[in-house]
Amino acid sequence: MKEEKLWKVLALDSSGLVASVALVEGDGFENTLRAEYTVNYKKTHSQTLLPMLDEIVKMTEFDLESVDAIAVTAGPGSFTGLRIGSATAKGLGLALQKPLVAVPTLDALAYNLYGVEGLICPLMDARRNQVYTGIYEFRQGRLQRLMEPAAVDIAEVAEKLCAFQRDVIFLGDGVPVYRHRLTEVLLAELTQEGRKHCCAPAHLSRQRAGSAGMLALSYIREGKTETAAEHRPDYFRLSQAERERAAKEQEKKGNPV
């Protein structure tokens, strides 16, 4: 059997309230999470990511020059958080001359629940009465999308989940925000169909760089890398400042929005 290369990946996630840094490695047969530092607190990610990375490097005696790629959750998520994560990853990629791996945030979040049966529905609070979400399942150990990631109203998510008529597990920071609406719109109907629904436990319910790093290992083997210069976050929609600017431009043209 041909021996596979051992890939070392540094992973970053600052797409939400959680800041997370991880070091993973794998050869296609055996993957290992060497270190993970995750903080869910009120500090800005610009204050936390690099100190967390520095601590991992010290604790593991890891040489950053030996890393093969840098993975970063690319969106959706907090506009500020995505910018900080992107800038950090791009800076490291340029300094170390290493490729980047852009991991969709919702894919990485769903990957927290590797191997579970039923549907997986990550919910990230997108404000403005919307969630960033997708619908996933695992087939033969591989994460599969049943609904493409999107920013939608929680009622639309409920409608799609009801159509599947399957057990579902929710996770993400949007769950506590929309728990009551989920109960009213979706969960009662699922119960009537004899389906189970639950929420992931706290230690699996938020973003983890370890999950992004593990997904990145498979992306690397599929050739899904990019240069630091090429990388751009995927915001899914305009920021508030961009929306306000667009509205003002429309008003100047006599087309109120």
Side-chain angles (χ1 to χ4, degrees), residues 147-180:
M147 170 187 161
E148 290 296 309
V152 297
D153 186 272
I154 194 68
E156 184 175 338
V157 184
E159 181 180 348
K160 291 184 179 296
L161 286 169
C162 286
F164 283 106
Q165 295 186 359
R166 293 175 57 185
D167 298 347
V168 59
I169 181 168
F170 299 96
L171 72 163
D173 60 28
V175 174
V177 177
Y178 295 98
R179 183 185 300 275
H180 294 302

PDB file of all heavy atoms in Angstrom, residues 147-180:
ATOM      1  N   MET A 147     -29.327  20.549   2.020  1.00  0.00           N
ATOM      2  CA  MET A 147     -29.770  21.911   1.716  1.00  0.00           C
ATOM      3  C   MET A 147     -28.536  22.782   1.719  1.00  0.00           C
ATOM      4  O   MET A 147     -27.755  22.772   2.676  1.00  0.00           O
ATOM      5  CB  MET A 147     -30.775  22.408   2.765  1.00  0.00           C
ATOM      6  CG  MET A 147     -31.099  23.896   2.652  1.00  0.00           C
ATOM      7  SD  MET A 147     -32.137  24.483   4.028  1.00  0.00           S
ATOM      8  CE  MET A 147     -31.840  26.267   3.942  1.00  0.00           C
ATOM      9  N   GLU A 148     -28.330  23.518   0.649  1.00  0.00           N
ATOM     10  CA  GLU A 148     -27.159  24.366   0.541  1.00  0.00           C
ATOM     11  C   GLU A 148     -27.198  25.471   1.597  1.00  0.00           C
ATOM     12  O   GLU A 148     -28.278  25.995   1.930  1.00  0.00           O
ATOM     13  CB  GLU A 148     -27.073  24.995  -0.846  1.00  0.00           C
ATOM     14  CG  GLU A 148     -26.737  24.009  -1.949  1.00  0.00           C
ATOM     15  CD  GLU A 148     -25.346  23.405  -1.760  1.00  0.00           C
ATOM     16  OE1 GLU A 148     -24.379  24.166  -1.579  1.00  0.00           O
ATOM     17  OE2 GLU A 148     -25.230  22.168  -1.792  1.00  0.00           O
ATOM     18  N   PRO A 149     -26.043  25.846   2.158  1.00  0.00           N
ATOM     19  CA  PRO A 149     -26.007  26.926   3.145  1.00  0.00           C
ATOM     20  C   PRO A 149     -26.642  28.210   2.607  1.00  0.00           C
ATOM     21  O   PRO A 149     -26.435  28.573   1.455  1.00  0.00           O
ATOM     22  CB  PRO A 149     -24.506  27.112   3.394  1.00  0.00           C
ATOM     23  CG  PRO A 149     -23.909  25.774   3.082  1.00  0.00           C
ATOM     24  CD  PRO A 149     -24.713  25.248   1.939  1.00  0.00           C
ATOM     25  N   ALA A 150     -27.423  28.864   3.456  1.00  0.00           N
ATOM     26  CA  ALA A 150     -28.130  30.072   3.035  1.00  0.00           C
ATOM     27  C   ALA A 150     -28.518  30.889   4.259  1.00  0.00           C
ATOM     28  O   ALA A 150     -28.502  30.390   5.387  1.00  0.00           O
ATOM     29  CB  ALA A 150     -29.382  29.707   2.233  1.00  0.00           C
ATOM     30  N   ALA A 151     -28.871  32.142   4.025  1.00  0.00           N
ATOM     31  CA  ALA A 151     -29.432  33.008   5.060  1.00  0.00           C
ATOM     32  C   ALA A 151     -30.929  33.062   4.832  1.00  0.00           C
ATOM     33  O   ALA A 151     -31.389  33.627   3.829  1.00  0.00           O
ATOM     34  CB  ALA A 151     -28.829  34.400   4.989  1.00  0.00           C
ATOM     35  N   VAL A 152     -31.721  32.465   5.736  1.00  0.00           N
ATOM     36  CA  VAL A 152     -33.167  32.344   5.530  1.00  0.00           C
ATOM     37  C   VAL A 152     -33.907  32.562   6.841  1.00  0.00           C
ATOM     38  O   VAL A 152     -33.320  32.533   7.929  1.00  0.00           O
ATOM     39  CB  VAL A 152     -33.543  30.955   4.959  1.00  0.00           C
ATOM     40  CG1 VAL A 152     -32.916  30.740   3.588  1.00  0.00           C
ATOM     41  CG2 VAL A 152     -33.112  29.850   5.916  1.00  0.00           C
ATOM     42  N   ASP A 153     -35.213  32.743   6.732  1.00  0.00           N
ATOM     43  CA  ASP A 153     -36.083  32.827   7.907  1.00  0.00           C
ATOM     44  C   ASP A 153     -36.215  31.441   8.527  1.00  0.00           C
ATOM     45  O   ASP A 153     -36.207  30.430   7.822  1.00  0.00           O
ATOM     46  CB  ASP A 153     -37.456  33.356   7.504  1.00  0.00           C
ATOM     47  CG  ASP A 153     -38.357  33.599   8.706  1.00  0.00           C
ATOM     48  OD1 ASP A 153     -39.051  32.647   9.124  1.00  0.00           O
ATOM     49  OD2 ASP A 153     -38.345  34.726   9.216  1.00  0.00           O
ATOM     50  N   ILE A 154     -36.364  31.395   9.842  1.00  0.00           N
ATOM     51  CA  ILE A 154     -36.436  30.117  10.539  1.00  0.00           C
ATOM     52  C   ILE A 154     -37.641  29.293  10.062  1.00  0.00           C
ATOM     53  O   ILE A 154     -37.604  28.053  10.051  1.00  0.00           O
ATOM     54  CB  ILE A 154     -36.505  30.333  12.070  1.00  0.00           C
ATOM     55  CG1 ILE A 154     -36.230  29.025  12.821  1.00  0.00           C
ATOM     56  CG2 ILE A 154     -37.839  30.929  12.484  1.00  0.00           C
ATOM     57  CD1 ILE A 154     -34.822  28.537  12.682  1.00  0.00           C
ATOM     58  N   ALA A 155     -38.709  29.955   9.616  1.00  0.00           N
ATOM     59  CA  ALA A 155     -39.883  29.233   9.125  1.00  0.00           C
ATOM     60  C   ALA A 155     -39.557  28.436   7.869  1.00  0.00           C
ATOM     61  O   ALA A 155     -40.088  27.339   7.655  1.00  0.00           O
ATOM     62  CB  ALA A 155     -41.017  30.215   8.846  1.00  0.00           C
ATOM     63  N   GLU A 156     -38.676  28.974   7.028  1.00  0.00           N
ATOM     64  CA  GLU A 156     -38.279  28.255   5.812  1.00  0.00           C
ATOM     65  C   GLU A 156     -37.486  26.998   6.162  1.00  0.00           C
ATOM     66  O   GLU A 156     -37.648  25.948   5.536  1.00  0.00           O
ATOM     67  CB  GLU A 156     -37.458  29.169   4.910  1.00  0.00           C
ATOM     68  CG  GLU A 156     -37.076  28.523   3.580  1.00  0.00           C
ATOM     69  CD  GLU A 156     -36.375  29.479   2.644  1.00  0.00           C
ATOM     70  OE1 GLU A 156     -36.534  30.710   2.807  1.00  0.00           O
ATOM     71  OE2 GLU A 156     -35.670  28.993   1.731  1.00  0.00           O
ATOM     72  N   VAL A 157     -36.621  27.117   7.163  1.00  0.00           N
ATOM     73  CA  VAL A 157     -35.864  25.950   7.627  1.00  0.00           C
ATOM     74  C   VAL A 157     -36.829  24.890   8.137  1.00  0.00           C
ATOM     75  O   VAL A 157     -36.706  23.693   7.829  1.00  0.00           O
ATOM     76  CB  VAL A 157     -34.888  26.332   8.757  1.00  0.00           C
ATOM     77  CG1 VAL A 157     -34.042  25.136   9.158  1.00  0.00           C
ATOM     78  CG2 VAL A 157     -34.011  27.493   8.341  1.00  0.00           C
ATOM     79  N   ALA A 158     -37.807  25.321   8.935  1.00  0.00           N
ATOM     80  CA  ALA A 158     -38.785  24.399   9.501  1.00  0.00           C
ATOM     81  C   ALA A 158     -39.537  23.656   8.405  1.00  0.00           C
ATOM     82  O   ALA A 158     -39.747  22.442   8.477  1.00  0.00           O
ATOM     83  CB  ALA A 158     -39.759  25.154  10.401  1.00  0.00           C
ATOM     84  N   GLU A 159     -39.932  24.400   7.372  1.00  0.00           N
ATOM     85  CA  GLU A 159     -40.689  23.793   6.273  1.00  0.00           C
ATOM     86  C   GLU A 159     -39.869  22.710   5.575  1.00  0.00           C
ATOM     87  O   GLU A 159     -40.371  21.623   5.278  1.00  0.00           O
ATOM     88  CB  GLU A 159     -41.089  24.868   5.275  1.00  0.00           C
ATOM     89  CG  GLU A 159     -41.898  24.353   4.096  1.00  0.00           C
ATOM     90  CD  GLU A 159     -42.272  25.451   3.125  1.00  0.00           C
ATOM     91  OE1 GLU A 159     -42.097  26.642   3.469  1.00  0.00           O
ATOM     92  OE2 GLU A 159     -42.721  25.127   2.014  1.00  0.00           O
ATOM     93  N   LYS A 160     -38.607  22.999   5.323  1.00  0.00           N
ATOM     94  CA  LYS A 160     -37.748  22.030   4.635  1.00  0.00           C
ATOM     95  C   LYS A 160     -37.506  20.799   5.501  1.00  0.00           C
ATOM     96  O   LYS A 160     -37.511  19.664   5.005  1.00  0.00           O
ATOM     97  CB  LYS A 160     -36.429  22.689   4.243  1.00  0.00           C
ATOM     98  CG  LYS A 160     -36.565  23.733   3.143  1.00  0.00           C
ATOM     99  CD  LYS A 160     -35.215  24.289   2.734  1.00  0.00           C
ATOM    100  CE  LYS A 160     -35.364  25.314   1.616  1.00  0.00           C
ATOM    101  NZ  LYS A 160     -35.898  24.740   0.364  1.00  0.00           N
ATOM    102  N   LEU A 161     -37.306  21.003   6.804  1.00  0.00           N
ATOM    103  CA  LEU A 161     -37.072  19.873   7.690  1.00  0.00           C
ATOM    104  C   LEU A 161     -38.309  18.984   7.804  1.00  0.00           C
ATOM    105  O   LEU A 161     -38.202  17.754   7.843  1.00  0.00           O
ATOM    106  CB  LEU A 161     -36.635  20.366   9.071  1.00  0.00           C
ATOM    107  CG  LEU A 161     -35.203  20.894   9.166  1.00  0.00           C
ATOM    108  CD1 LEU A 161     -34.982  21.585  10.498  1.00  0.00           C
ATOM    109  CD2 LEU A 161     -34.189  19.769   8.974  1.00  0.00           C
ATOM    110  N   CYS A 162     -39.464  19.607   7.862  1.00  0.00           N
ATOM    111  CA  CYS A 162     -40.699  18.821   7.939  1.00  0.00           C
ATOM    112  C   CYS A 162     -40.871  17.944   6.704  1.00  0.00           C
ATOM    113  O   CYS A 162     -41.391  16.828   6.796  1.00  0.00           O
ATOM    114  CB  CYS A 162     -41.903  19.748   8.085  1.00  0.00           C
ATOM    115  SG  CYS A 162     -42.053  20.489   9.728  1.00  0.00           S
ATOM    116  N   ALA A 163     -40.431  18.435   5.555  1.00  0.00           N
ATOM    117  CA  ALA A 163     -40.576  17.675   4.314  1.00  0.00           C
ATOM    118  C   ALA A 163     -39.756  16.389   4.344  1.00  0.00           C
ATOM    119  O   ALA A 163     -40.134  15.388   3.729  1.00  0.00           O
ATOM    120  CB  ALA A 163     -40.163  18.542   3.132  1.00  0.00           C
ATOM    121  N   PHE A 164     -38.639  16.394   5.079  1.00  0.00           N
ATOM    122  CA  PHE A 164     -37.803  15.191   5.164  1.00  0.00           C
ATOM    123  C   PHE A 164     -38.422  14.120   6.056  1.00  0.00           C
ATOM    124  O   PHE A 164     -38.175  12.928   5.867  1.00  0.00           O
ATOM    125  CB  PHE A 164     -36.406  15.556   5.701  1.00  0.00           C
ATOM    126  CG  PHE A 164     -35.507  16.202   4.696  1.00  0.00           C
ATOM    127  CD1 PHE A 164     -35.238  17.561   4.758  1.00  0.00           C
ATOM    128  CD2 PHE A 164     -34.914  15.463   3.688  1.00  0.00           C
ATOM    129  CE1 PHE A 164     -34.405  18.172   3.831  1.00  0.00           C
ATOM    130  CE2 PHE A 164     -34.069  16.056   2.759  1.00  0.00           C
ATOM    131  CZ  PHE A 164     -33.816  17.424   2.830  1.00  0.00           C
ATOM    132  N   GLN A 165     -39.193  14.554   7.069  1.00  0.00           N
ATOM    133  CA  GLN A 165     -39.822  13.630   8.019  1.00  0.00           C
ATOM    134  C   GLN A 165     -38.791  12.670   8.616  1.00  0.00           C
ATOM    135  O   GLN A 165     -38.959  11.452   8.610  1.00  0.00           O
ATOM    136  CB  GLN A 165     -40.952  12.854   7.342  1.00  0.00           C
ATOM    137  CG  GLN A 165     -42.112  13.728   6.912  1.00  0.00           C
ATOM    138  CD  GLN A 165     -43.286  12.930   6.384  1.00  0.00           C
ATOM    139  OE1 GLN A 165     -43.247  11.709   6.305  1.00  0.00           O
ATOM    140  NE2 GLN A 165     -44.360  13.613   6.027  1.00  0.00           N
ATOM    141  N   ARG A 166     -37.717  13.249   9.149  1.00  0.00           N
ATOM    142  CA  ARG A 166     -36.653  12.455   9.757  1.00  0.00           C
ATOM    143  C   ARG A 166     -36.247  13.077  11.083  1.00  0.00           C
ATOM    144  O   ARG A 166     -36.530  14.244  11.365  1.00  0.00           O
ATOM    145  CB  ARG A 166     -35.429  12.389   8.817  1.00  0.00           C
ATOM    146  CG  ARG A 166     -35.685  11.616   7.531  1.00  0.00           C
ATOM    147  CD  ARG A 166     -34.495  11.695   6.604  1.00  0.00           C
ATOM    148  NE  ARG A 166     -33.275  11.194   7.240  1.00  0.00           N
ATOM    149  CZ  ARG A 166     -32.069  11.260   6.650  1.00  0.00           C
ATOM    150  NH1 ARG A 166     -31.939  11.791   5.444  1.00  0.00           N
ATOM    151  NH2 ARG A 166     -31.007  10.791   7.273  1.00  0.00           N
ATOM    152  N   ASP A 167     -35.550  12.292  11.907  1.00  0.00           N
ATOM    153  CA  ASP A 167     -35.003  12.825  13.154  1.00  0.00           C
ATOM    154  C   ASP A 167     -34.019  13.941  12.828  1.00  0.00           C
ATOM    155  O   ASP A 167     -33.341  13.907  11.792  1.00  0.00           O
ATOM    156  CB  ASP A 167     -34.279  11.723  13.932  1.00  0.00           C
ATOM    157  CG  ASP A 167     -35.200  10.590  14.351  1.00  0.00           C
ATOM    158  OD1 ASP A 167     -36.433  10.763  14.259  1.00  0.00           O
ATOM    159  OD2 ASP A 167     -34.679   9.527  14.755  1.00  0.00           O
ATOM    160  N   VAL A 168     -33.914  14.909  13.727  1.00  0.00           N
ATOM    161  CA  VAL A 168     -33.019  16.040  13.476  1.00  0.00           C
ATOM    162  C   VAL A 168     -32.362  16.488  14.775  1.00  0.00           C
ATOM    163  O   VAL A 168     -32.977  16.445  15.849  1.00  0.00           O
ATOM    164  CB  VAL A 168     -33.790  17.211  12.815  1.00  0.00           C
ATOM    165  CG1 VAL A 168     -34.941  17.673  13.689  1.00  0.00           C
ATOM    166  CG2 VAL A 168     -32.855  18.377  12.514  1.00  0.00           C
ATOM    167  N   ILE A 169     -31.113  16.909  14.660  1.00  0.00           N
ATOM    168  CA  ILE A 169     -30.391  17.476  15.799  1.00  0.00           C
ATOM    169  C   ILE A 169     -29.911  18.869  15.413  1.00  0.00           C
ATOM    170  O   ILE A 169     -29.387  19.069  14.312  1.00  0.00           O
ATOM    171  CB  ILE A 169     -29.216  16.570  16.245  1.00  0.00           C
ATOM    172  CG1 ILE A 169     -28.506  17.178  17.453  1.00  0.00           C
ATOM    173  CG2 ILE A 169     -28.246  16.308  15.109  1.00  0.00           C
ATOM    174  CD1 ILE A 169     -27.538  16.221  18.117  1.00  0.00           C
ATOM    175  N   PHE A 170     -30.138  19.829  16.295  1.00  0.00           N
ATOM    176  CA  PHE A 170     -29.778  21.222  16.041  1.00  0.00           C
ATOM    177  C   PHE A 170     -28.528  21.596  16.833  1.00  0.00           C
ATOM    178  O   PHE A 170     -28.270  21.061  17.922  1.00  0.00           O
ATOM    179  CB  PHE A 170     -30.912  22.157  16.462  1.00  0.00           C
ATOM    180  CG  PHE A 170     -32.198  21.939  15.720  1.00  0.00           C
ATOM    181  CD1 PHE A 170     -33.201  21.131  16.259  1.00  0.00           C
ATOM    182  CD2 PHE A 170     -32.416  22.528  14.489  1.00  0.00           C
ATOM    183  CE1 PHE A 170     -34.380  20.927  15.583  1.00  0.00           C
ATOM    184  CE2 PHE A 170     -33.598  22.325  13.797  1.00  0.00           C
ATOM    185  CZ  PHE A 170     -34.587  21.524  14.346  1.00  0.00           C
ATOM    186  N   LEU A 171     -27.773  22.537  16.296  1.00  0.00           N
ATOM    187  CA  LEU A 171     -26.632  23.081  17.023  1.00  0.00           C
ATOM    188  C   LEU A 171     -26.348  24.474  16.506  1.00  0.00           C
ATOM    189  O   LEU A 171     -26.820  24.863  15.441  1.00  0.00           O
ATOM    190  CB  LEU A 171     -25.397  22.191  16.873  1.00  0.00           C
ATOM    191  CG  LEU A 171     -24.668  22.165  15.514  1.00  0.00           C
ATOM    192  CD1 LEU A 171     -23.265  21.577  15.697  1.00  0.00           C
ATOM    193  CD2 LEU A 171     -25.418  21.372  14.472  1.00  0.00           C
ATOM    194  N   GLY A 172     -25.562  25.235  17.262  1.00  0.00           N
ATOM    195  CA  GLY A 172     -25.201  26.583  16.860  1.00  0.00           C
ATOM    196  C   GLY A 172     -25.805  27.645  17.753  1.00  0.00           C
ATOM    197  O   GLY A 172     -26.734  27.392  18.523  1.00  0.00           O
ATOM    198  N   ASP A 173     -25.269  28.875  17.646  1.00  0.00           N
ATOM    199  CA  ASP A 173     -25.733  29.950  18.524  1.00  0.00           C
ATOM    200  C   ASP A 173     -27.130  30.453  18.167  1.00  0.00           C
ATOM    201  O   ASP A 173     -27.724  31.234  18.909  1.00  0.00           O
ATOM    202  CB  ASP A 173     -24.724  31.113  18.522  1.00  0.00           C
ATOM    203  CG  ASP A 173     -24.506  31.725  17.145  1.00  0.00           C
ATOM    204  OD1 ASP A 173     -25.420  31.675  16.303  1.00  0.00           O
ATOM    205  OD2 ASP A 173     -23.403  32.255  16.901  1.00  0.00           O
ATOM    206  N   GLY A 174     -27.672  30.006  17.043  1.00  0.00           N
ATOM    207  CA  GLY A 174     -29.041  30.394  16.700  1.00  0.00           C
ATOM    208  C   GLY A 174     -30.097  29.576  17.408  1.00  0.00           C
ATOM    209  O   GLY A 174     -31.269  29.963  17.434  1.00  0.00           O
ATOM    210  N   VAL A 175     -29.708  28.444  17.993  1.00  0.00           N
ATOM    211  CA  VAL A 175     -30.682  27.574  18.651  1.00  0.00           C
ATOM    212  C   VAL A 175     -31.355  28.270  19.834  1.00  0.00           C
ATOM    213  O   VAL A 175     -32.587  28.325  19.909  1.00  0.00           O
ATOM    214  CB  VAL A 175     -30.041  26.245  19.092  1.00  0.00           C
ATOM    215  CG1 VAL A 175     -31.038  25.411  19.896  1.00  0.00           C
ATOM    216  CG2 VAL A 175     -29.567  25.456  17.872  1.00  0.00           C
ATOM    217  N   PRO A 176     -30.595  28.834  20.801  1.00  0.00           N
ATOM    218  CA  PRO A 176     -31.284  29.504  21.906  1.00  0.00           C
ATOM    219  C   PRO A 176     -32.072  30.739  21.473  1.00  0.00           C
ATOM    220  O   PRO A 176     -33.088  31.072  22.084  1.00  0.00           O
ATOM    221  CB  PRO A 176     -30.137  29.883  22.861  1.00  0.00           C
ATOM    222  CG  PRO A 176     -28.900  29.862  22.021  1.00  0.00           C
ATOM    223  CD  PRO A 176     -29.131  28.817  20.986  1.00  0.00           C
ATOM    224  N   VAL A 177     -31.625  31.400  20.408  1.00  0.00           N
ATOM    225  CA  VAL A 177     -32.319  32.600  19.935  1.00  0.00           C
ATOM    226  C   VAL A 177     -33.685  32.248  19.355  1.00  0.00           C
ATOM    227  O   VAL A 177     -34.675  32.964  19.566  1.00  0.00           O
ATOM    228  CB  VAL A 177     -31.469  33.327  18.872  1.00  0.00           C
ATOM    229  CG1 VAL A 177     -32.222  34.550  18.328  1.00  0.00           C
ATOM    230  CG2 VAL A 177     -30.127  33.755  19.460  1.00  0.00           C
ATOM    231  N   TYR A 178     -33.765  31.135  18.619  1.00  0.00           N
ATOM    232  CA  TYR A 178     -34.998  30.782  17.916  1.00  0.00           C
ATOM    233  C   TYR A 178     -35.661  29.524  18.471  1.00  0.00           C
ATOM    234  O   TYR A 178     -36.503  28.921  17.815  1.00  0.00           O
ATOM    235  CB  TYR A 178     -34.704  30.596  16.423  1.00  0.00           C
ATOM    236  CG  TYR A 178     -34.266  31.877  15.759  1.00  0.00           C
ATOM    237  CD1 TYR A 178     -32.915  32.146  15.562  1.00  0.00           C
ATOM    238  CD2 TYR A 178     -35.197  32.820  15.352  1.00  0.00           C
ATOM    239  CE1 TYR A 178     -32.509  33.326  14.959  1.00  0.00           C
ATOM    240  CE2 TYR A 178     -34.807  34.000  14.753  1.00  0.00           C
ATOM    241  CZ  TYR A 178     -33.449  34.254  14.562  1.00  0.00           C
ATOM    242  OH  TYR A 178     -33.057  35.426  13.976  1.00  0.00           O
ATOM    243  N   ARG A 179     -35.321  29.157  19.694  1.00  0.00           N
ATOM    244  CA  ARG A 179     -35.866  27.936  20.279  1.00  0.00           C
ATOM    245  C   ARG A 179     -37.402  27.957  20.315  1.00  0.00           C
ATOM    246  O   ARG A 179     -38.057  26.973  19.975  1.00  0.00           O
ATOM    247  CB  ARG A 179     -35.318  27.739  21.698  1.00  0.00           C
ATOM    248  CG  ARG A 179     -35.790  26.439  22.364  1.00  0.00           C
ATOM    249  CD  ARG A 179     -35.316  26.370  23.802  1.00  0.00           C
ATOM    250  NE  ARG A 179     -33.872  26.420  23.902  1.00  0.00           N
ATOM    251  CZ  ARG A 179     -33.077  25.362  23.801  1.00  0.00           C
ATOM    252  NH1 ARG A 179     -33.592  24.176  23.591  1.00  0.00           N
ATOM    253  NH2 ARG A 179     -31.770  25.484  23.914  1.00  0.00           N
ATOM    254  N   HIS A 180     -37.963  29.083  20.722  1.00  0.00           N
ATOM    255  CA  HIS A 180     -39.423  29.152  20.846  1.00  0.00           C
ATOM    256  C   HIS A 180     -40.100  29.030  19.482  1.00  0.00           C
ATOM    257  O   HIS A 180     -41.118  28.347  19.334  1.00  0.00           O
ATOM    258  CB  HIS A 180     -39.839  30.450  21.537  1.00  0.00           C
ATOM    259  CG  HIS A 180     -39.398  30.532  22.966  1.00  0.00           C
ATOM    260  ND1 HIS A 180     -39.763  29.588  23.898  1.00  0.00           N
ATOM    261  CD2 HIS A 180     -38.613  31.424  23.616  1.00  0.00           C
ATOM    262  CE1 HIS A 180     -39.225  29.894  25.074  1.00  0.00           C
ATOM    263  NE2 HIS A 180     -38.515  31.012  24.916  1.00  0.00           N
TER     264      HIS A 180
END
